Amino acid sequence: MISSQMWLDLLWGAFWQGTAALAVVWALCRAFPQVPARVRCWLWRAGLAKPLLWLVGAPQIKLECLPRLRTVLAQVISADFANSIPTRLTLRMMLARPAAIVCAVALCAWVGRIVTELARTRRLMARCRPLPSGEARDAVMAALDRLCRPAHRPNVVMSDWAYAPITMRRGLGYVIVLPEWLVAPSRRADLVLVLAHETAHINRRDLQWNWLPTVAGLVFFMNPMVWLARRELALVQEAACDEFALRATGVCASQYGALLLSMAAVRPAPAWQTAIAFTSAPASAIRRRLLELKTALSTPPAKRLSAAIVVLLMVFALVMPFSLVEASRVPEGILISMG
């Protein structure tokens, strides 16, 4: 059984190893905006997996290239000041129990939140009703035949409580919930675009992969880089589905952009992204998605492919297999005061 002190050591190592990996992913995404959104999804997933792999003891190549804190303080300030700092063992003994209590409380809060959202999803599903027979149902079935794999074919329902299209998981299958206004005869073109976007989530298995940011947020709730990664991953997943919808339907970008603007969220989306995916988003996120579409359409495919290859190699060959650790301890008597 792992003691609280050993757990604290593992948690601290995973904390800053994950922070470094996510910082690299963030810098690469900013430096190469032409990388396709579907590739950036994998970059952010890899960054979120890094601290979890460290936490479970996955084998990695350790690079002893970081200076020891006590040595740096002795050189910058004084050896006396460095020696006055509590040792790592002392800090572990002081912080192990409070850290364990905080983690336990946070874990209970997250689990409670997940259970609440699952119960809410179940209640919402009970209020849905099947599509009425007629032109709308025929259009939905025809679109699903063209857009979705037979094994992943979702059930499509409608509801008066939904203000935007929603994809939900139900057991091993999926349900797409359409708002009543989208089923009107005048919105038939928008209906096909929405189905293309929602089936992209299903074909890409986004809801299954969203377990990764959920678990990372649960374990590393104190890490701001994890929260940034969760937000960016949610956005690039939507951008990847936007690109899929454009390719699958062949509509012009202005028509699709107008649809996105019409679904700017007036209420926040549910936090439980493992069981539910919202097409709508705040106005700032819609703006980012429109800019993503503009970049995707204006960048030559060859440039996008080369950028994707570069960043994938940098992350999966130079970041994921390696861990940065402190250099070996300097023998006693070598530490010389610079004061």
Side-chain angles (χ1 to χ4, degrees):
M1 183 176 180
I2 299 179
S3 67
S4 58
Q5 294 183 22
M6 292 178 62
W7 171 254
L8 184 62
D9 269 354
L10 282 174
L11 198 62
W12 171 246
F15 176 93
W16 68 268
Q17 291 290 340
T19 299
L22 290 171
V24 171
V25 172
W26 176 84
L28 290 174
C29 290
R30 293 293 298 268
F32 298 92
Q34 64 271 29
V35 173
R38 61 185 181 275
V39 174
R40 274 176 288 150
C41 285
W42 291 108
L43 296 178
W44 285 113
R45 287 167 182 166
L48 287 168
K50 178 77 171 184
L52 295 174
L53 292 174
W54 176 276
L55 200 61
V56 299
Q60 295 184 358
I61 303 171
K62 295 183 179 181
L63 301 178
E64 295 186 356
C65 58
L66 298 178
R68 301 186 68 86
L69 177 61
R70 194 180 295 272
T71 304
V72 173
L73 292 176
Q75 294 175 346
V76 174
I77 302 178
S78 69
D80 292 337
F81 177 79
N83 292 329
S84 66
I85 296 177
T87 63
R88 185 170 299 178
L89 177 61
T90 303
L91 288 175
R92 284 203 303 263
M93 296 176 63
M94 292 171 52
L95 299 177
R97 186 177 296 275
I101 293 174
V102 171
C103 289
V105 171
L107 178 63
C108 292
W110 267 89
V111 171
R113 187 181 187 187
I114 290 173
V115 171
T116 301
E117 289 290 347
L118 279 174
R120 179 169 178 258
T121 301
R122 186 179 295 273
R123 291 195 302 270
L124 292 177
M125 283 297 305
R127 295 169 52 188
C128 297
R129 59 186 187 275
L131 289 174
S133 301
E135 184 182 349
R137 182 179 179 83
D138 294 340
V140 167
M141 295 300 106
L144 292 181
D145 290 338
R146 182 163 52 92
L147 297 169
C148 201
R149 301 170 188 170
H152 298 160
R153 188 185 182 95
N155 182 28
V156 181
V157 296
M158 59 184 295
S159 177
D160 56 354
W161 55 262
Y163 61 91
I166 308 169
T167 299
M168 293 182 174
R169 290 187 66 188
R170 186 172 63 181
L172 299 177
Y174 298 90
V175 177
I176 296 177
V177 182
L178 300 176
E180 288 185 339
W181 60 265
L182 194 57
V183 187
S186 59
R187 306 303 295 265
R188 196 69 69 235
D190 291 341
L191 177 61
V192 175
L193 293 178
V194 164
L195 290 173
H197 179 99
E198 299 303 323
T199 54
H201 280 300
I202 297 172
N203 292 332
R204 287 167 35 83
R205 302 179 185 269
D206 283 339
L207 294 180
Q208 287 94 324
W209 276 106
N210 279 347
W211 274 104
L212 178 61
T214 298
V215 174
L218 187 152
V219 178
F220 303 104
F221 63 92
M222 77 298 285
N223 191 338
M225 286 301 297
V226 170
W227 290 94
L228 171 66
R230 283 162 50 88
R231 185 188 67 190
E232 290 296 315
L233 176 57
L235 191 145
V236 294
Q237 281 183 169
E238 295 299 326
C241 292
D242 292 337
E243 293 182 26
F244 175 89
L246 276 182
R247 292 195 306 268
T249 59
V251 301
C252 62
S254 59
Q255 181 180 347
Y256 190 81
L259 175 62
L260 287 182
L261 290 174
S262 70
M263 291 192 295
V266 294
R267 288 172 285 179
W272 181 230
Q273 294 180 337
T274 306
I276 188 169
F278 261 60
T279 299
S280 64
S284 58
I286 293 293
R287 180 177 180 273
R288 284 276 306 274
R289 288 167 63 181
L290 292 175
L291 292 175
E292 292 275 355
L293 280 178
K294 180 180 178 181
T295 302
L297 295 174
S298 60
T299 306
K303 187 175 182 180
R304 301 187 77 201
L305 177 61
S306 60
I309 293 173
V310 169
V311 296
L312 285 173
L313 287 176
M314 293 181 70
V315 171
F316 286 97
L318 301 179
V319 176
M320 296 301 293
F322 299 97
S323 295
L324 303 179
V325 298
E326 289 183 339
S328 301
R329 185 183 298 276
V330 178
E332 212 53 51
I334 294 182
L335 190 63
I336 301 176
S337 172
M338 301 298 292

